[in-house]
Amino acid sequence: MQIKKDQEMEKFGNWICIFLSVSLLLVGQSPTPAYATGTTIRYVKPSPSGTGSCNSWANACALQHALGLALSGDQLWVRQGTYKPGSLQSDTFTLKNGVRIYGGFAGTETLLSQRNPAMHVTILSGDIGIAGNASDNIYHVVVGGIGIDTSAVLDGFTVTAGNANGASDSYGGGMLIKGGSPTLRNLTFSGNSAAIGGGGMYNYSAASPKLTNVTFSGNSATTGGGMYNDGSSPTL
């Protein structure tokens, strides 16, 4: 009887040892981040140069390529010029959490503080078809969707020539924000249109973007030429 009790105590002791070992391994571990983290500056030009690896101005890449590579914590430094999302009306520039996209660079800067968006105008354009004919333009030049938070930054751009004229894409020609809260700074929304609402920007599904120094000019829509808010609360 005593032998059986001793064996049970030994098993119990073994389990205690395993528990303590696992607990010690876990001590000091930080929670797993919600998304991957990085600390890279990615350099962008209208036409890629050098190796196109985005690791320097000499090897700058296309904006869509840089967005595809970008991880949370990265910065995209975008040289002056005009950038288009793609060749289809459904193409768009999609914001990403933790990724800060800065326009206004001449293409020689080594510090973020050296850029000048007013002097080095950087344009996100939806004019992909016949120049000056809005009927074949991009539906939404920029999109910030559900789950996008304030760590997604767009700063120093002119957003233009978006035309939300599709059967199911009739809102938000310049920018469409669904339930997101991106940080938008030093932007101009001009010359965008929508068949129904939000020529410049359309916010819906409890969107709450943060806008600072943003200009809306010359946009058009049936409702809310500059901005249309549907159940949303942007901070201006």
Side-chain angles (χ1 to χ4, degrees), residues 177-202:
I177 302 178
K178 179 181 180 180
S181 56
T183 299
L184 309 174
R185 296 190 296 249
N186 306 310
L187 303 174
T188 296
F189 290 87
S190 65
N192 301 285
S193 58
I196 298 180
M201 178 183 296
Y202 178 58

Side-chain angles (χ1 to χ4, degrees), residues 130-199:
I130 301 172
N133 183 351
S135 65
D136 57 3
N137 286 11
I138 293 284
Y139 295 138
H140 320 290
V141 180
V142 184
V143 167
I146 293 175
I148 292 296
D149 58 34
T150 55
S151 68
V153 176
L154 186 68
D155 185 328
F157 292 89
T158 294
V159 180
T160 187
N163 183 21
N165 65 342
S168 58
D169 294 281
S170 52
Y171 296 84
M175 187 168 188
L176 179 72
I177 302 178
K178 179 181 180 180
S181 56
T183 299
L184 309 174
R185 296 190 296 249
N186 306 310
L187 303 174
T188 296
F189 290 87
S190 65
N192 301 285
S193 58
I196 298 180

Side-chain angles (χ1 to χ4, degrees), residues 3 8 12 19 21-22 27 33 37-38 42 62 74 77 86 112 121 126 145 171 179-180 202 210 216 232 234:
I3 293 174
E8 291 174 350
F12 180 75
F19 174 77
S21 297
V22 173
V27 170
T37 58
R42 303 186 188 276
D74 287 357
W77 290 14
L112 180 61
V121 178
Y171 296 84
Y202 178 58
K210 311 295 187 285
F216 292 87
S232 298

Side-chain angles (χ1 to χ4, degrees), residues 22 31 52 57 60 101 106 125 163 197 209 227:
V22 173
W57 285 122
I101 310 170
S125 173
N163 183 21
M227 178 191 292

